[in-house]
């Protein structure tokens, strides 16, 4: 799994009509789309996805936001995918994101930050399997 990562284009980016522009940047950076779907998380599913953050003060806000509208979930393939994708999206807080990164261009705040990217190879596998059966991963 070390050449794969997982992403979600979050509800803020979906609402603003930025899904196509973000996918274009992902393709231009050399990632191959190995799985993709547009869907909407229930509160329960969003809570399950972000369970690792359950003790954080922002957990409730995060779950509410991530279940507030449609997202696009995708598995992306490229050498060094996890690290390279985190460089492409930029820092979690868009105020700290480097110029030219997806979050610098499209994120409004640390909560409404346009995209998610896995933080490790292990989590990339877990997160991809959360959304996609093995039959849906190409
Ligand atoms: P993401 O990469 O999806 O993983 C966890 C998310 O928690 C993160 O992006 C942020 O959107 C969100 N997050 C992190 N810190 C805060 C915070 N202080 N307030 C609100 N949301 C946060």
């Amino acid at each position: 799994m070390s050449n794969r990562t997982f992403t979600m284009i979050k509800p803020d980016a979906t609402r603003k009509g930025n899904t196509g522009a973000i996918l274009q940047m992902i393709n231009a950076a050399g990632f191959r789309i190995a799985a993709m779907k547009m869907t909407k998380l229930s509160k329960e599913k969003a809570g399950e996805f972000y369970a690792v953050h359950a003790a954080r003060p922002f957990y409730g806000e995060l779950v509410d936001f991530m279940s507030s509208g449609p997202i696009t979930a995708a598995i992306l393939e490229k050498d060094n995918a996890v690290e390279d994708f985190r460089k492409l999206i930029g820092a979690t807080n868009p105020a700290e994101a480097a110029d030219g990164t997806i979050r610098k261009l499209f994120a409004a705040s640390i909560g409404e930050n346009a995209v998610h990217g896995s933080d490790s190879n292990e989590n990339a596998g877990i997160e991809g399997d959360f959304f996609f059966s093995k039959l849906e991963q190409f």
Side-chain angles (χ1 to χ4, degrees):
M1 282 313 275
S2 63
N3 61 344
R4 289 189 172 201
T5 191
F6 171 79
T7 188
M8 283 184 284
I9 298 173
K10 296 187 178 186
D12 58 321
T14 308
R15 274 193 282 273
K16 292 175 190 168
N18 290 329
T19 303
I22 291 170
L23 289 173
Q24 171 73 23
M25 287 181 71
I26 289 170
N27 276 146
F31 291 89
R32 186 182 75 80
I33 294 170
M36 187 164 72
K37 71 171 72 158
M38 192 172 187
T39 185
K40 185 171 179 290
L41 290 166
S42 62
K43 276 199 183 191
E44 188 192 359
K45 279 288 180 192
E48 203 184 312
F49 183 87
Y50 282 112
V52 65
H53 296 305
R56 305 280 190 95
F58 57 82
Y59 179 68
E61 190 185 320
L62 177 61
V63 168
D64 284 348
F65 168 61
M66 287 304 297
S67 57
S68 69
I71 56 118
T72 297
I75 296 172
L76 305 174
E77 187 174 83
K78 179 185 185 297
D79 286 347
N80 203 33
V82 168
E83 197 183 327
D84 285 3
F85 191 69
R86 288 174 74 81
K87 277 188 198 143
L88 176 66
I89 66 179
T92 305
N93 183 349
E96 293 162 11
D99 282 349
T101 60
I102 291 175
R103 284 174 171 154
K104 181 72 174 190
L105 288 166
F106 299 113
S109 66
I110 195 165
E112 304 205 0
N113 65 354
V115 282
H116 167 80
S118 302
D119 64 4
S120 67
N121 291 332
E122 186 189 2
N123 283 336
I126 293 168
E127 292 171 0
D129 289 345
F130 184 91
F131 280 91
F132 301 100
S133 77
K134 293 297 182 198
L135 287 173
E136 295 171 319
Q137 301 182 28
F138 300 98

